[in-house]
Amino acid sequence: MTRPGPPAGGSFPARPAPPAGGSFPARPGPPAPGSFPARPGPPAGARPGPPPDLGDDETRHPAVDAAVQSLANAATLAPADQIAQYEAAYDTLRETLATIDQT
């Protein structure tokens, strides 16, 4: 197997030279603090309230009620901590529905 050589009939074109003066223009730095407006927070009243009263306790499931309450409590946590609460509630609801389907 042979390697390709230079193009036939001559040499490669010349590379462009660096800019005159020997240095490149300086890159802009990060923006100064306070040069952008602050991010707005969530609108007032955007958080959900307690779950509505659904009536008769005999038709409710305690595991589902606990999962719904944990989701309401997660609204007060930092976003990183909310993820664990949502995953735990999801697991609880999934397991509860699986046991209901089996009966």
Side-chain angles (χ1 to χ4, degrees), residues 51-69:
D53 184 19
L54 298 177
D56 192 11
D57 286 340
E58 291 179 20
T59 60
R60 298 176 70 173
H61 196 286
V64 173
D65 290 340
V68 170
Q69 185 60 46

